[in-house]
Amino acid sequence: MSTSFDKFQKRKLISSYFSVTISIALVLFLLGTLALLILNTQKLVNHFKEQVAVTVYLKETAKETEIDQLQKSLALADYTKSAEYVSKDEAAEVLMKDLGENFVEFLGDNPLQNSIDIHLKAAYVTPEQLADIALEVKGNTFVDEVSYDVPLVTLLNDNVKKISYGILIASSIVMLIAVLLINSSIRLSIYSKRFIIKTMQMVGATKSFIRRPFIATNIKLGIVGSIIAIAVMTAIMSFLDQKYPELALLQDVQMVSFIFGGIFIFGILISWLSTFFATQRFLNLRTDDLYY
Amino acid sequence: MSETILELNSVSIFQKESLVLSDITLAIDKGEFVYLIGKTGSGKSSFMKTLYGDLPLTQGSGNIVGFDLRTLKEKEIPFLRRKIGIVFQDFKLLPDRTINANLEFVLRATGWKDKSEIERRISEVLDKVDMKTKGFKFPHQISGGEQQRVAIARALLNDPELILADEPTGNLDPQTSVEVMKVLKDINAAGRSILMATHDYALLLKYPSKTLKCDGSKVFEVVQKSA
């Protein structure tokens, strides 16, 4: 008879641990997914920014050595991702393909100029920095004109700002929900033991002595929860990686380990703090207040 | 034998804002056995709670086992409770662990470290209440009288100078009450002071001793007619 009761007790205990662990795992999973989204948005934004081309048009009079030197120095500059020389013949060919019409024959001459196409690193694609770079390059006497899509760059920067704010707000809301959910499930599990906590105080145990096993248990649950969250995320990410290899989800080891490490640490931290404050609350109540 | 262990001077006790007992002045000496009687609601429990620091003392002055109740800080309460043993009407054993683990918790909480000393102490106190063979059981597996005896054993663990018993027989049948009472009497005979709140007048008649009565927000000593 006693064994069946023991089993029942144990099952009750396990199921209460189980629900706390699951709620921690779910919330951490949500947070991790959001972090993944944010970091990948950053990648996507950078990808778009690096598509912006700055074209340096060269004068007809420019010597080959001068062009060569400029191209090399541009290629070596901090802000450059790639710098490529495009001769006016090459440019004409590309344009002819785009227009579907042989305009050189039509005009009797190739009106295009030799140029260098620069693709910048994402961090330098802002209206101000682009203007500076253009000015600097224009300082060379053999450069005729530096051209780039000013409205596009402005638009890109504005939109990125808007999107970042949106993501920031969304993630703070999710973060808040995460903290509240984990906190309330831990608090419930401790609420159910409030009379035990009171009894422990009655026999002369100090607050920190009573709190210690609760914190140890819940940190363990936090660790298990974060491991579950990480496992689920790994499964989903490797599935996505197989389906859409172009996302390169698992290639960025640094990012993935950052997210997983963050989940782990957050899981421990939140369960620790929640337990601390929940136990503190019941430790500070007088016996009569426990019944309300 | 004239060492004072509990001393109250014009103490008033409040439950929230309402006055429960006023102007209590009393002293309990080492080795005394004192009853505290009174109807339910007369303030016995509030009085006891004040003594073990669950209700703050706001009016008057009091001294218990060397602690000043008036200036008692939150942090000192655990240490006050280690010097007094408390026995409750509803036993208040920890339901999630065995009798031995219950007693071990108290010892560990009060700073005992050595495993063999802990075991020795547990079997010592269980022996005193004649519960030595039941240590492996859970509180819900033993009877009320047995639970109360374990609770008394728990109160004895740290060799307290004073034992506060708040209606220890309130949940027990008359025969078991007498058994528990015998245990308390034995402990008293071994030199410890006991303050026992009760409304079980049969016990008073059977084991007469100094008796305080709570009535009409006052506490006063009553003299029993027969011994």
Side-chain angles (χ1 to χ4, degrees), chain B residues 19 146 158 213:
Chain B
L19 181 75
E146 288 173 322
N158 281 309
K213 188 169 184 183

Side-chain angles (χ1 to χ4, degrees), chain A residues 2 5-6 9 196 199-207 209-210 283-284 286-289 291-292, chain B residues 15-16 49 52-54 56 74 78-79 81-82 86 88 92 94-95 97 105-106 108-109 140-141 154:
Chain A
S2 65
F5 184 85
D6 285 350
Q9 278 285 73
I196 292 184
T199 303
M200 289 173 168
Q201 274 186 302
M202 286 302 161
V203 297
T206 58
K207 288 182 182 180
F209 184 87
I210 297 171
L283 284 169
N284 284 342
R286 298 199 179 277
T287 314
D288 294 330
D289 299 326
Y291 295 94
Y292 299 118
Chain B
Q15 184 70 265
K16 302 279 173 200
K49 278 181 182 169
Y52 57 75
D54 203 30
E74 178 101 30
F79 300 96
R81 289 179 187 161
R82 289 173 196 192
I86 314 171
F88 302 92
K92 289 206 195 301
L94 303 174
R97 58 197 84 194
F105 174 85
V106 177
R108 290 211 180 270
H140 63 87
Q141 291 168 333
R154 180 177 68 183

Side-chain angles (χ1 to χ4, degrees), chain A residues 16-44:
Chain A
S16 96
Y17 286 161
F18 185 73
S19 59
V20 172
T21 312
I22 289 301
S23 72
I24 291 176
L26 280 176
V27 166
L28 290 177
F29 171 72
L30 202 67
L31 272 183
T33 314
L34 195 76
L36 195 70
L37 207 67
I38 291 172
L39 292 174
N40 277 301
T41 315
Q42 197 59 46
K43 257 200 216 165
L44 201 66

Side-chain angles (χ1 to χ4, degrees), chain B residues 98-109:
Chain B
T98 61
I99 303 306
N100 280 335
N102 260 279
L103 300 178
E104 186 179 341
F105 174 85
V106 177
L107 289 176
R108 290 211 180 270

Side-chain angles (χ1 to χ4, degrees), chain B residues 9-225:
Chain B
N9 267 313
S10 42
V11 165
S12 294
I13 289 167
F14 297 85
Q15 184 70 265
K16 302 279 173 200
E17 270 80 44
S18 58
L19 181 75
V20 183
L21 294 168
S22 68
D23 202 23
I24 312 165
T25 301
L26 63 89
I28 293 178
D29 287 343
K30 198 169 181 187
E32 269 191 299
F33 191 110
V34 181
Y35 288 109
L36 181 69
I37 58 170
K39 278 179 262 172
T40 38
S42 59
K44 293 189 305 272
S45 285
S46 300
F47 179 74
M48 290 298 221
K49 278 181 182 169
T50 310
L51 295 185
Y52 57 75
D54 203 30
L55 272 181
L57 182 66
T58 50
Q59 235 176 67
S61 65
N63 197 297
I64 180 165
V65 293
F67 285 84
D68 186 343
L69 281 172
R70 191 65 191 269
T71 58
L72 189 69
K73 289 192 190 73
E74 178 101 30
K75 270 203 179 131
E76 295 169 340
I77 293 176
F79 300 96
L80 162 66
R81 289 179 187 161
R82 289 173 196 192
K83 291 192 85 178
I84 52 181
I86 314 171
V87 180
F88 302 92
Q89 179 177 7
D90 54 354
F91 326 132
K92 289 206 195 301
L93 298 173
L94 303 174
D96 58 347
R97 58 197 84 194
T98 61
I99 303 306
N100 280 335
N102 260 279
L103 300 178
E104 186 179 341
F105 174 85
V106 177
L107 289 176
R108 290 211 180 270
T110 51
W112 293 54
K113 296 251 156 38
D114 189 65
K115 182 85 190 160
S116 60
E117 256 181 72
I118 288 177
E119 275 168 14
R120 198 174 48 80
R121 184 66 188 154
I122 289 175
S123 69
E124 239 174 61
V125 292
L126 282 182
D127 200 25
K128 272 187 198 164
V129 297
D130 210 12
M131 286 289 295
K132 211 172 175 179
T133 53
K134 305 276 177 80
F136 64 94
K137 292 203 170 183
F138 278 86
H140 63 87
Q141 291 168 333
I142 57 178
S143 72
E146 288 173 322
Q147 286 191 51
Q148 193 58 298
R149 277 192 272 163
V150 171
I152 292 170
R154 180 177 68 183
L156 292 174
L157 280 170
N158 281 309
D159 216 357
E161 295 161 46
L162 172 66
I163 290 173
L164 299 177
D166 192 355
E167 305 212 17
T169 59
N171 276 349
L172 305 175
D173 62 74
Q175 200 186 333
T176 321
S177 295
V178 170
E179 281 170 30
V180 166
M181 199 56 208
K182 271 184 194 152
V183 172
L184 286 174
K185 272 287 175 187
D186 285 347
I187 292 163
N188 177 238
R192 286 179 196 108
S193 326
I194 295 180
L195 174 60
M196 172 171 158
T198 186
H199 52 229
D200 191 343
Y201 292 90
L203 282 179
L204 257 80
L205 292 175
K206 195 160 183 171
Y207 299 96
S209 189
K210 180 175 170 182
T211 305
L212 302 169
K213 188 169 184 183
C214 288
D215 199 11
S217 84
K218 290 270 184 270
V219 177
F220 48 87
E221 191 169 341
V222 288
V223 182
Q224 286 188 25
K225 282 168 196 146

